[in-house]
Amino acid sequence: SFDGILGNLKLEKQPPHRRYLSINLVWGKFNAKLAKLLNSKPRAYVQPGSLDRSKVLDARVTQQWMSYIRRKIGLENKYEIACAQAEITGKSFLWAWWDPSALGTVSDPATGETYDVPEGDVDVSVGSAFEILVQDLGQPLIGKQKKIMRVTAVLIADLKKQFAEKLLGKDLA
């Protein structure tokens, strides 16, 4: 109850069996919804276009490649982060792109030596709804937007490394 003279709240003593904690009333529902999302993870399945042997084998290899990429980039953890972030902010995104600077290991069959060569790879990151700028605010579907801009904070050293050939000695202050 509120004490108007002293201007503070007075907490009345209650027996332990009657205590009602108002903290984390929503936490159980939050965990249940998050568990439901995480138990039904999206998976990509590849089906051949026909029953031709080469197309069936191509589909099987593509399926194995997709599960390898899923494990390599830690897509399960990133999906969990995106789901938890979507509960807080309302929306969350998984951004997938081709990273041309990613190193791959190549072995020379003649000598047996291995080299790290920049050959590129798929990469995925989690993005919040607050880093998206759209052209038409009246359009509720992001897939129907004509232009989308993603705004994030990036270290200058990373920009210099990524765009070294385009900068050509220009100074980024």
Side-chain angles (χ1 to χ4, degrees), residues 31-103:
N31 278 344
K33 187 173 182 183
L34 190 61
K36 182 179 178 183
L37 284 173
L38 295 178
N39 284 336
S40 60
K41 295 177 181 130
R43 299 205 184 271
Y45 293 101
V46 180
Q47 292 184 339
S50 68
L51 294 179
D52 185 26
R53 179 172 166 74
S54 66
K55 291 188 179 182
V56 170
L57 290 175
D58 287 344
R60 188 178 301 158
V61 169
T62 304
Q63 181 74 41
Q64 288 175 350
W65 175 81
M66 291 176 81
S67 32
Y68 164 73
I69 288 293
R70 183 182 188 93
R71 286 189 311 271
K72 181 182 175 195
I73 63 178
L75 195 59
E76 303 287 330
N77 294 336
K78 292 178 182 179
Y79 180 71
E80 288 179 16
I81 293 169
C83 287
Q85 196 174 44
E87 286 294 318
I88 296 168
T89 63
K91 285 192 187 301
S92 185
F93 301 98
L94 284 174
W95 296 95
W97 72 92
W98 180 258
D99 183 12
S101 64
L103 296 176

Side-chain angles (χ1 to χ4, degrees), residues 126-169:
V126 179
S128 74
F130 300 112
E131 61 187 40
I132 303 287
L133 301 175
V134 294
Q135 183 178 14
D136 184 10
L137 295 175
Q139 178 59 255
L141 300 174
I142 197 166
K144 301 245 176 168
Q145 292 289 339
K146 293 180 182 175
K147 292 182 182 177
I148 299 171
M149 186 185 300
R150 181 178 180 206
V151 181
T152 57
V154 181
L155 295 174
I156 292 178
D158 292 340
L159 285 176
K160 285 181 180 178
K161 185 170 58 172
Q162 185 176 1
F163 298 107
E165 66 276 354
K166 291 183 182 178
L167 292 174
L168 294 175

